[in-house]
Amino acid sequence: MLYIPCPYCGPRDETEFAYGGPSHVTRPELTATDREWTHYLYHRANIKGPYPERWLHSFGCGRWFNVVRDTTTHDILEVYLMGESGRPPEQAP
Amino acid sequence: MTAPGPYRLQERAVGAPVEFRFDGRALRGIEGDTVASALLANGLRVVSRSFKFHRPRGIFTAGVEEPNALVQLHSAERAVPAARATLVPLSAGLEVSSQAGWPSVSHDALRAIDFVHGIFAAGFYNKAFMWPSWHVYEPIIRKLAGFGRAPTGPDPDRYDTRHAQCDVLVIGAGTAGIEAARTASTAGQRVMLVEQDPFPGDSLAALASLPNLQVLRRTTAVAHYDHNLVALAESVDDGGTGSELPRERLWLVRAARVVLATGAFEQPLIFSNNDRPGIMLAGAALKFLRRHAIAPGRQVVVATNNDSAYLVARELRQAGVNIVALVDSRKAPPDSLLQEVRSLGIQVHAHSIPIDTAGFSALRRVTLGSLGSGTGTGVSDTRHLACDALLVSGGWSPVLHLFAQAGGKLKFSETTRTFGPVAALPNIELAGSAAQPPSENLGERISPVGNTARQWVDLRHGQSQAAESAVDAGAVSVISSFGNMLVSVTNF
């Protein structure tokens, strides 16, 4: 079970959180093609290594934030607020 | 007052008698006994049956690694199947029963299977019992295997769950664990110390005065999850006394740092018929002697490939137990050790190994072989020794189950002949013999070859080593933690 540092409440057990999928997936314009929509809805990189994802502290403050988690070790490398972009990939640990 | 049990060393035994029942028979142990030590004190050698061939099996270890002594506790809706007799403290009126054998565990008609074992080769079930349907045979085969009986009704006892956090969680209250807990506690950290043995040493009591330290006894760390979340199973109250306490408690502990002071398991030696009741790990015999004042037998042979069994032979001799011989596979055991045991009148056979044993339901005789001058495993000059106990020591292997669960990788080392960690994990520390098993001048693990009787490498799962493949093997290295972990057999 992960131990997730909520930027508003501090570290809490994973059971208090809900997972929100990968971060920084941009919704296309309404004029986008079917192909673009398909890509937005279904195509994910499934990265081995540091992976930015959204978490909701549903049984706590009820707020969303971003977490960079290493998918091989489950180490949490970075936590940042919604609307922020986190460290650029080349500076990530 | 005399302590009950023919194998109890009277001048060492302390504690009031405790009555219990084994397979309906009234027996007496003493306070501070485990079920295993009480059975040994009463001379009950056969406590279970191997699940395929129904070979008689006795108590082999003195701890959680016990492969044989799985017993049924209590009855009806409070029944507990497959309890390790080595971990259950004896309590007044405890009902213990064996799980296999018909009509009884000591006289088992199903042993007949063993005498025709040639037709029951590995994988035999799969081929033979498919027509018309496996389900026709399954209930019978399951019953034969002897896996205990389920409770007959809803469990009347209470169970509890607790969540906790600490700075340091120390698993194992041996010397290294106690030292780690003391250091962390003195430095002002919140410490939890966990020990599964029902009767830990006196040094644990000395920790009671330390601040910030919580000690959990009879508690097993059962799982190590992500980010140092460790699940602990605590036996609180054995129940049946009308107490308000829960029977067991599950702890979920989030620790900033985990110290694994889980120690090392002694490894068995592999030779023909090495599973007879009366054969036991040397370290287990030492524990039964020191804690419970028990003699493993009347005539004891000790077989080893390292230094640690010399201490066992010495202490047993000093306690008045007859040591028939000490057998060492090494060519030149250290002179100081040889002198010490010889001064006590113990005969040492260096460069020899046990190659076979005899006895129907308990050990009666061991056959030794001299390894001769070559470097191979050819055995010459065999001799027979009458004995009723054989203590074996094949070196020590660190207990790294939790380390592996936490994601740690293990690698076999040819120098220590054990699995060890490849690299450290963050916030997890190995301490004591879990980090570095005692080397004890380990010699090669040499098994007899060119001989047809079965050699058991995993007592729990009934794995035997085929004699023919062992002929080519040269040195045979075997690591087995008796059913808790994988069995890894190299070189054959």
Side-chain angles (χ1 to χ4, degrees), chain A residues 1-3 13-14 73-76, chain B residues 163 165 225-227 229 252 254 426:
Chain A
M1 183 163 58
L2 303 182
Y3 200 45
D13 277 345
E14 184 186 342
T73 62
H74 289 181
D75 285 344
I76 290 176
Chain B
H163 294 256
Q165 292 189 325
Y225 300 107
D226 286 320
H227 298 175
L229 180 77
L252 293 166
R254 182 77 70 175

Side-chain angles (χ1 to χ4, degrees), chain B residues 141-339:
Chain B
I141 288 171
R142 278 192 193 283
K143 203 171 161 58
L144 287 180
F147 285 139
R149 297 172 292 278
T152 53
D155 193 331
D157 291 314
R158 292 174 53 240
Y159 298 83
D160 189 18
T161 306
R162 271 196 204 171
H163 294 256
Q165 292 189 325
C166 62
D167 295 319
V168 184
L169 172 66
V170 183
I171 298 166
T175 317
I178 284 178
E179 206 39 53
R182 189 196 304 279
T183 311
S185 164
T186 317
Q189 293 181 299
R190 286 174 305 153
V191 183
M192 289 177 81
L193 176 61
V194 172
E195 174 55 54
Q196 68 190 352
D197 197 296
F199 305 109
D202 295 334
S203 41
L204 192 58
L207 288 185
S209 58
L210 287 175
N212 326 320
L213 177 74
Q214 183 174 17
V215 179
L216 295 177
R217 291 157 193 264
R218 291 192 68 194
T219 303
T220 305
V222 291
H224 199 143
Y225 300 107
D226 286 320
H227 298 175
N228 274 347
L229 180 77
V230 181
L232 313 172
E234 182 188 14
S235 297
V236 185
D237 186 78
D238 288 317
T241 55
S243 154
E244 289 292 305
L245 287 170
R247 186 149 155 196
E248 288 177 16
R249 188 177 285 142
L250 173 69
W251 290 80
L252 293 166
V253 180
R254 182 77 70 175
R257 187 162 66 94
V258 173
V259 178
L260 299 174
T262 39
F265 286 152
E266 195 166 28
Q267 301 295 295
L269 291 174
I270 311 300
F271 46 90
S272 297
N273 292 307
N274 57 342
D275 63 335
R276 290 197 202 284
I279 301 176
M280 186 189 281
L281 291 176
L286 186 62
K287 192 170 166 186
F288 283 124
L289 172 73
R290 286 180 175 173
R291 294 253 179 100
H292 308 294
I294 283 166
R298 306 276 182 229
Q299 294 170 294
V300 180
V301 174
V302 182
T304 185
N305 66 350
N306 66 85
D307 288 354
S308 63
Y310 284 77
L311 173 70
V312 181
R314 242 167 49 214
E315 282 207 22
L316 283 168
R317 185 70 201 88
Q318 283 159 351
V321 178
N322 178 23
I323 308 286
V324 177
L326 196 157
V327 186
D328 194 326
S329 65
R330 295 172 298 176
K331 229 174 210 162
D335 281 335
S336 55
L337 292 176
L338 287 177
Q339 276 165 16

Side-chain angles (χ1 to χ4, degrees), chain A residues 69-86:
Chain A
R69 177 178 62 94
D70 190 313
T71 53
T72 56
T73 62
H74 289 181
D75 285 344
I76 290 176
L77 306 169
E78 200 185 342
V79 175
Y80 53 95
L81 305 185
M82 297 310 281
E84 295 180 353
S85 57

